[in-house]
Amino acid sequence: KKATMATAKATSLSGTVGGGTKIDAGAIAAPFRAEVREKVEALKAKGIDAPLLVGLLANTDPAARKYAEWTGKACRADGLRYELRSIDDPIDVESALMAANDDPNVHGIIVYYPIFGQVESFSGASQDDYLRDTVSFKCDVEGLCHTYRTNLYRNVRFLDYPTNTKKCVLPCTALSCVKILEQCPNCYDKSKPVGKHMEGQVVTVINRSEIVGRPLAAMLANDGADVYSIDINSIYLFRGGRLHKCEGETPESCVRKSSVVVTGVPTKAYRLPTDWIQPNTTVVNVASFKNVDEESLLQIPGVTYVPMVGKVTVAMLERNLVRLYENFHHPDIRLKTIRDEEEAKGGKAKAKAVAGSWFGSALQVYTAVAVTALVGIALSNKKR
């Protein structure tokens, strides 16, 4: 499969001779979706239903609804089951989410944000943040709940250390950027050890949201890169698992020294000045708006440009769903979990029985101790 990934670099040249290269994200997504289809077909061949993804939609945002429709279409095309649950009143999202968490027939959950936006919550900074942390880690296809976020920021890659059989789920949009960069020239060096694939690379990420920018910066830093994280009023450097406040740096100075630039500014008015981009730089646009002028960017020698990541994001969503199914929901896994729980209960019962055979009831223990003490006192008095 890794060999076929190399063929995913379906590109089209744009601009003058010596200009840049535009990458088709759909070609990068294709092998991942093929792998998902293969796993689903293997399940069906054994008489096992495909994993079920449930989407919760409680807003009127056209982009959210379009994403929901796109997700459903992609899932069905790849043999996965998808169910969209529309909720009229946002206040009912939490109860719908808890019901999906507790439903053994649901294997993955995606909540389409924003719902409450930055409206304050009794449970945290915002109700949307609270909902993200309410999604069970066993169903969180977006990889945004507290368990997966904290593991990412601590560079913990497995849920079941030290056996290391259950890999963590990573935020799907940030993960899509990583998979795209792995296919772009001169970004990832897989000949190096894990954790050093981007060693020596400088990256600038213009976005620090919890959905994209912050997890992406952490992921690239975990792979060895120096990552400048730029937000509206601050610049931080992710390096070696630590976050450093940058003094004296500007967005321009960061971009000029970077071999990879990722833009994720969610506004139509923003444009990244192309004269900051150096030759042979890779530029990835994560935002739903184009953050850079494509025509002028592709005039820069050696530039690699990825204008959209949506198709790869959906492929990562499907991949995460299959991983959750394999980690927690496959019939073999559920049977093993039941057996382990029964063995644990049996062990406790056996230990209790052994203790009972030695000591009997609490009254018997007390009586034995008391009698022993009295005999000791009597013998002591006799010696005197």
Side-chain angles (χ1 to χ4, degrees):
K1 291 184 177 67
K2 288 184 178 180
T4 62
M5 293 299 295
T7 65
K9 300 177 184 178
T11 61
S12 59
L13 291 177
S14 177
T16 58
V17 175
T21 301
K22 184 177 175 180
I23 297 287
D24 175 15
I28 296 175
F32 292 107
R33 293 185 62 178
E35 184 178 358
V36 167
R37 287 194 296 272
E38 183 179 312
K39 290 188 175 184
V40 170
E41 288 167 4
L43 289 173
K44 290 181 177 178
K46 295 179 180 179
I48 301 173
D49 287 335
L52 171 64
L53 174 63
V54 168
L56 300 179
L57 180 66
N59 64 48
T60 57
D61 182 1
R65 181 165 291 279
K66 185 177 180 180
Y67 183 35
E69 293 172 353
W70 192 9
T71 304
K73 183 178 179 181
C75 284
R76 286 186 284 270
D78 293 333
L80 296 165
R81 293 183 294 153
Y82 177 81
E83 180 183 324
L84 180 62
R85 299 178 182 177
S86 296
I87 303 163
D88 294 330
D89 190 340
I91 203 69
D92 294 327
V93 173
E94 183 179 0
S95 59
L97 176 53
M98 295 303 293
N101 277 340
D102 296 336
D103 187 344
N105 296 313
V106 174
H107 311 121
I109 299 170
I110 178 172
V111 181
Y112 294 101
Y113 302 101
I115 298 175
F116 295 93
Q118 293 305 308
V119 174
E120 291 186 1
S121 164
F122 287 112
S123 308
S126 78
Q127 186 70 6
D128 282 1
D129 290 338
Y130 167 72
L131 290 173
R132 286 189 189 98
D133 286 337
T134 304
V135 181
S136 168
F137 71 94
K138 294 182 179 181
C139 295
D140 183 14
V141 292
E142 294 183 284
L144 294 172
C145 70
H146 182 264
T147 299
Y148 292 126
R149 289 203 322 272
T150 53
N151 282 353
L152 169 61
Y153 297 140
R154 293 185 294 123
N155 200 15
V156 175
R157 303 193 179 207
F158 292 88
L159 288 166
D160 57 341
Y161 177 84
T163 54
N164 293 347
T165 60
K166 299 181 188 299
K167 292 188 75 174
C168 288
V169 167
L170 294 168
C172 52
T173 304
L175 182 59
S176 72
C177 293
V178 171
K179 295 304 179 184
I180 287 169
L181 292 175
E182 286 180 347
Q183 298 305 308
C184 291
N186 305 317
C187 290
Y188 267 73
D189 184 353
K190 290 299 184 74
S191 67
K192 293 181 178 180
V194 172
K196 295 186 176 182
H197 290 164
M198 289 198 78
E199 190 176 49
Q201 299 275 8
V202 177
V203 180
T204 291
V205 179
I206 308 175
N207 175 294
R208 203 184 302 134
S209 70
E210 286 291 347
I211 297 175
V212 184
R214 183 175 166 86
L216 176 59
M219 290 165 70
L220 298 177
N222 288 345
D223 284 337
D226 283 354
V227 185
Y228 289 101
S229 174
I230 299 177
D231 204 4
I232 191 168
N233 56 8
S234 62
I235 299 175
Y236 286 92
L237 173 64
F238 282 77
R239 174 189 285 162
R242 297 188 65 184
L243 189 64
H244 308 268
K245 184 70 180 287
C246 293
E247 301 293 343
E249 294 286 3
T250 65
E252 180 178 356
S253 68
C254 295
V255 170
R256 284 188 179 278
K257 67 178 72 174
S258 296
S259 55
V260 175
V261 177
V262 180
T263 62
V265 182
T267 176
K268 191 174 183 179
Y270 178 80
R271 283 288 186 276
L272 175 69
T274 54
D275 59 349
W276 295 359
I277 304 294
Q278 302 302 302
N280 304 312
T281 299
T282 298
V283 179
V284 180
N285 182 70
V286 180
S288 54
F289 302 101
K290 288 189 176 181
N291 288 164
V292 64
D293 182 77
E294 181 176 312
E295 185 176 352
S296 61
L297 177 66
L298 291 173
Q299 300 297 322
I300 301 172
V303 158
T304 300
Y305 176 52
V306 185
M308 294 182 294
V309 302
K311 291 181 180 179
V312 185
T313 299
V314 171
M316 293 303 104
L317 192 76
E318 293 184 349
R319 187 171 178 260
N320 283 350
L321 175 62
V322 172
R323 175 164 293 174
L324 290 171
Y325 187 82
E326 293 172 342
N327 281 350
F328 304 110
H329 305 291
H330 191 285
D332 293 344
I333 296 296
R334 286 184 169 175
L335 183 60
K336 182 179 184 302
T337 300
I338 292 171
R339 286 174 176 169
D340 289 345
E341 289 174 353
E342 288 178 348
E343 286 180 8
K345 289 178 182 177
K348 289 179 181 179
K350 185 176 180 181
K352 188 175 182 180
V354 170
S357 67
W358 274 91
F359 302 114
S361 68
L363 179 59
Q364 289 173 321
V365 173
Y366 174 78
T367 302
V369 172
V371 169
T372 302
L374 290 172
V375 170
I377 293 170
L379 289 174
S380 176
N381 289 335
K382 189 175 181 180
K383 287 181 180 179
R384 289 176 185 175

